[in-house]
Amino acid sequence: MNKVLFTLLILFSTSILQAQENKKVFVTRDANGVLVFSDSPQPGAEEVNLSSRANIMEATDPTLPSRKQPAKEPFTVEIAQPEDQGTVRDNTGSVYVSGKISPMFERGLRVRLLVDGKPQAEPQNNAVFILRDIERGEHKLQMELFDQSGKLIATSPVTTFYLHRASVISPN
């Protein structure tokens, strides 16, 4: 029974394929200029050749184009506070220093503050420093930015500020 059914199925599918191959398509334009497709020839109709399958695209290369990593923007460091050539008035000698790092501060970066050319402390993971008991007068600040491996990757311009403290003049 299965063999008979299988044989009938094969004969039926081959007859459908042959019927599709024998079909002809004709194209004409109507009075409005619209294309009209038909399986029967009309006066002035042209036969359309359906042997090529125009709607199937040729195979393309499946490999993706190599992506270039966008160039990483270099880091820049600047001192936001105190302002360059600014004056800080504090009788205790405390100075609050804050910096700006761009692009955004990333995990693993470290910042070190130099006061008058000398490192103030070990590099830390933020750009805010509090200096205590600074002598009055002119001082120069600079920030250094280090990457995860400890390599210096950016340095801020030198910022000069003036600290004003009240002085006690001794009568001696």
Side-chain angles (χ1 to χ4, degrees):
M1 177 75 178
N2 286 338
K3 289 181 183 181
V4 173
L5 184 62
F6 181 70
T7 308
L8 286 175
L9 184 64
I10 290 178
L11 288 174
F12 181 71
S13 62
T14 55
S15 65
I16 290 175
L17 290 175
Q18 288 176 351
Q20 286 178 348
E21 288 178 5
N22 293 337
K23 295 250 178 174
K24 293 183 180 181
V25 176
F26 300 93
V27 64
T28 58
R29 289 198 183 264
D30 67 4
N32 297 327
V34 178
L35 290 177
V36 176
F37 293 92
S38 174
D39 60 351
S40 59
Q42 303 288 326
E46 295 180 21
E47 184 177 344
V48 177
N49 183 4
L50 296 178
S51 62
S52 66
R53 303 213 33 183
N55 60 346
I56 295 179
M57 295 174 41
E58 291 184 22
T60 59
D61 185 13
T63 59
L64 295 174
S66 62
R67 284 190 174 182
K68 291 182 181 177
Q69 292 293 337
K72 208 168 191 183
E73 185 178 340
F75 283 97
T76 59
V77 183
E78 64 182 84
I79 297 175
Q81 184 183 352
E83 294 178 356
D84 190 32
Q85 302 298 319
T87 300
V88 176
R89 299 180 194 285
D90 191 300
N91 286 335
T92 65
S94 297
V95 179
Y96 297 92
V97 179
S98 65
K100 290 193 318 189
I101 298 169
S102 62
M104 188 188 301
F105 195 90
E106 294 178 1
R107 184 180 300 252
L109 295 180
R110 312 285 282 167
V111 182
R112 179 170 66 183
L113 179 67
L114 303 175
V115 178
D116 297 326
K118 297 177 189 157
Q120 188 60 28
E122 290 298 313
Q124 61 185 33
N125 60 359
N126 64 44
V128 177
F129 298 87
I130 300 174
L131 304 176
R132 303 274 187 216
D133 202 28
I134 300 295
E135 295 295 322
R136 63 186 193 160
E138 177 184 277
H139 297 281
K140 297 190 182 298
L141 300 174
Q142 190 172 28
M143 286 188 182
E144 296 175 326
L145 182 64
F146 298 93
D147 66 4
Q148 293 86 348
S149 63
K151 178 182 172 191
L152 180 65
I153 57 174
T155 305
S156 73
V158 175
T159 298
T160 303
F161 76 96
Y162 304 94
L163 180 64
H164 287 225
R165 292 176 76 170
S167 68
V168 178
I169 299 178
S170 117
N172 307 14

